[in-house]
Amino acid sequence: GEPKMKRKPDARLTLCLVVCLMTFLLMPIGAVAGSISLSYANFPPAPTFPCVQMERWKTEVEKRTNGAVSIKTYPGGTLLGAKEMMDGVIAGQADIGNLCMAYQPGRFIVTNATSLPLGIPNARTGSLVLWDLYKKYQPEAFSQVKVLTMFTTAPANIMSKTAVRSLDDIQGMDLRASGGAAQILKAWGANQVGMPMSATPEALQKGVVQGLFSSLEVMKDLKFAESCKYVTMTDTVIYPFAVVMNMDRWNALPPEVQKVIEDMGTEQAEWTGTYMDQHVKDSMEWSVKEQKVDVIALDAATKKAWDQKLQFITDKWVTDAKAKGFPAEEIVADIQKLTQQYQ
Ligand code: DTR
């Protein structure tokens, strides 16, 4: 069997050389593996959805640029924290950063309008609405960065240590929520405690808060189901996110790499929304089955009473945004129209 044995490795070597040569020939000019290295900062812990979408984007960009770009990801606020994300990317402390726009309500006025109580039903719809809204208005707030994609959470609900079945139950309850949701919780009579998601596990553990108001995937991803045994379904508002890149770093990228990244904007928004919607389902299945969480549905009359308390929010936003010179009514109408379209 000696001669046979020898032929095999030869054939494999030839095949390998052919594959390598073809890969090399098919590579875009300038695409030397790993020659461009980018840092990507994120504020919450690695298992949460903003970091899951970051890893997916990294994998896809590395693949679609044939390895010319390599991306180093920094979850858990190890490079930039929740509120320093935008300025950190502008200053070049990270090349790319993911931020929750709701954490700075006054800074991202146009895009934060998606978190008004306008009935966006899920994250996929929210993400596509937000991305279109951004492209139409090209808000000044992003003029110093290159926006790579945007997406939203699924609607927010109440997760709590004791049951919330009525407005009476929520009076004075210390609940954590960030950004624009502050006025929602206040309108319902809760005592809103503001902090980014990244600070919430500790606040719950120390008893600083009795629960939180957010989308339900964190019941599993951050194990909140272990302490919050009640979920009250309000399906109230979504939260918008943006992925931004340092402008000089963007301008320095070869055009073929820019094209790969730009072509991924809408796709990444939709992927993340779809992932989020499915993951909320998985998270709640786990919470009910494994953690014996009680899911409380408000009956129609109660839900109406809760919703009515929030009506002033959109009116107030329109008045304030108009005073600042934004086409506020048009923005709200666009969100409603796009929601119908994508739903
Ligand atoms: N609802 C916002 C945003 C948010 C929802 N899920 C996550 C997970 C990780 C970070 C942020 C978020 C909030 O409550 O902060």
Side-chain angles (χ1 to χ4, degrees):
E2 256 232 331
K4 250 189 197 168
M5 287 283 285
K6 258 191 173 167
R7 271 238 290 290
K8 245 190 184 172
D10 275 349
R12 249 190 266 152
L13 193 68
T14 312
L15 184 70
C16 182
L17 283 171
V18 170
V19 170
C20 287
L21 189 68
M22 277 176 63
T23 312
F24 184 76
L25 289 174
L26 288 171
M27 265 200 308
I29 307 151
V32 180
S35 62
I36 303 162
S37 152
L38 300 173
S39 60
Y40 189 152
N42 221 327
F43 65 95
T48 60
F49 92 97
C51 293
V52 172
Q53 74 76 34
M54 167 172 78
E55 294 302 329
R56 188 264 174 185
W57 190 85
K58 164 195 156 81
T59 306
E60 288 303 317
V61 170
E62 288 179 348
K63 200 164 74 191
R64 293 178 199 192
T65 58
N66 300 309
V69 175
S70 76
I71 295 152
K72 174 126 181 58
T73 56
Y74 295 86
T78 44
L79 186 54
L80 287 171
K83 291 190 179 164
E84 44 191 30
M85 202 53 84
M86 187 69 171
D87 291 325
V89 169
I90 292 172
Q93 286 167 276
D95 298 324
I96 302 170
N98 172 50
L99 63 131
C100 180
M101 296 181 254
Y103 295 170
Q104 289 164 293
R107 183 167 188 172
F108 306 104
I109 295 181
V110 176
T111 43
N112 270 329
T114 54
S115 62
L116 291 168
L118 297 170
I120 292 178
N122 53 52
R124 182 185 174 275
T125 304
S127 300
L128 293 170
V129 169
L130 171 65
W131 188 227
D132 277 7
L133 195 76
Y134 166 73
K135 284 187 289 184
K136 174 170 175 184
Y137 289 95
Q138 306 269 327
E140 183 65 31
F142 295 97
S143 61
Q144 286 173 278
V145 292
K146 170 72 186 176
V147 180
L148 304 183
T149 191
M150 288 191 180
F151 49 82
T152 75
T153 64
N157 293 290
I158 300 166
M159 298 158 247
S160 53
K161 295 183 181 180
T162 57
V164 176
R165 299 180 197 280
S166 66
L167 283 172
D168 281 348
D169 290 340
I170 202 177
Q171 297 313 300
M173 189 183 263
D174 297 323
L175 290 179
R176 171 271 164 196
S178 53
Q183 48 183 344
I184 294 177
L185 288 180
K186 281 181 199 151
W188 288 335
N191 177 35
Q192 182 262 347
V193 185
M195 67 186 80
M197 186 58 87
S198 27
T200 309
E202 195 182 325
L204 267 175
Q205 203 195 349
K206 288 195 171 154
V208 175
V209 292
Q210 301 311 306
L212 71 150
F213 181 67
S214 185
S215 46
L216 296 173
E217 87 292 348
V218 286
M219 286 290 276
K220 185 173 183 191
D221 293 343
L222 294 175
K223 303 274 179 290
F224 290 158
E226 287 173 359
S227 59
C228 296
K229 295 298 179 192
Y230 298 91
V231 165
T232 305
M233 297 303 294
T234 62
D235 277 337
T236 308
V237 288
I238 56 87
Y239 277 78
F241 283 71
V243 180
V244 297
M245 181 165 178
N246 177 275
M247 199 60 110
D248 292 338
R249 291 291 279 164
W250 169 259
N251 288 331
L253 289 177
E256 63 271 17
V257 171
Q258 289 182 337
K259 182 169 185 331
V260 167
I261 292 178
E262 276 193 323
D263 286 351
M264 274 185 69
T266 307
E267 180 196 315
Q268 183 72 12
E270 188 171 18
W271 186 92
T272 306
T274 307
Y275 167 81
M276 166 58 110
D277 289 328
Q278 183 55 45
H279 200 55
V280 164
K281 284 185 195 146
D282 297 344
S283 162
M284 285 313 291
E285 246 172 63
W286 175 81
S287 300
V288 170
K289 209 167 152 233
E290 308 287 333
Q291 295 291 328
K292 309 288 173 242
V293 166
D294 193 355
V295 179
I296 300 163
L298 302 175
D299 62 63
T302 312
K303 172 89 169 92
K304 202 169 161 205
W306 285 58
D307 286 348
Q308 263 166 5
K309 291 213 173 274
L310 307 181
Q311 268 170 9
F312 77 96
I313 292 176
T314 303
D315 298 343
K316 185 175 176 302
W317 181 87
V318 168
T319 310
D320 293 352
K322 254 164 89 171
K324 289 181 185 138
F326 293 97
E329 277 127 345
E330 191 189 332
I331 291 169
V332 170
D334 277 332
I335 294 170
Q336 286 165 329
K337 195 181 73 198
L338 289 166
T339 304
Q340 287 304 320
Q341 184 187 318
Y342 285 122
Q343 172 164 355

